[in-house]
Amino acid sequence: AASSNTSPATQRYVEGIRDAGADDRAASGGGGRLLGHLYCRYFADLFGGQMLAGPTRAALRLARDTPRHYTFDLPAQGGRRAYIEEVYESLNEAGKLLPPKAFE
């Protein structure tokens, strides 16, 4: 359950993720909804999102460590590029486990 200080928008988002997960587990869903969401969400934050972190902090006068969804623990060896490639490869491997129709 969401905490009492969770915004209504966040609660709807979480509900949507739960619904997508339930659909992915059902025979009709095929498993691709959450994988597609993760792909779009993660790469949006890894690429463009990090560029928005500084201006967002400044405009909203946020603490240095916020917003946290633009912050990643990057490996010392290879940095951001290696991390992105690892995530990309992992998502593609997971995609191969989907039924052919869901993979398309």
Side-chain angles (χ1 to χ4, degrees):
S3 70
S4 61
N5 63 354
T6 303
S7 74
T10 299
Q11 290 173 7
R12 286 190 302 273
Y13 177 80
V14 170
E15 185 178 316
I17 293 294
R18 286 185 179 140
D19 289 348
D23 185 58
D24 277 0
R25 288 186 294 277
S28 63
R33 286 179 65 187
L34 285 180
L35 188 60
H37 175 73
L38 176 64
Y39 187 91
C40 293
R41 186 69 238 177
Y42 221 105
F43 284 114
D45 288 344
L46 275 168
F47 289 106
Q50 287 188 318
M51 294 171 55
L52 297 174
T56 300
R57 272 188 219 109
L60 299 176
R61 296 186 177 134
L62 298 173
R64 180 152 180 79
D65 64 340
T66 57
R68 289 186 304 271
H69 60 281
Y70 296 134
T71 305
F72 302 91
D73 294 324
L74 301 174
Q77 188 71 13
R80 182 172 164 241
R81 181 179 181 89
Y83 186 68
I84 289 170
E85 288 176 4
E86 181 181 336
V87 170
Y88 185 75
E89 288 175 21
S90 296
L91 289 172
N92 284 334
E93 287 301 311
K96 291 177 185 175
L97 300 174
L98 295 172
K101 184 178 178 185
F103 187 74
E104 293 174 359

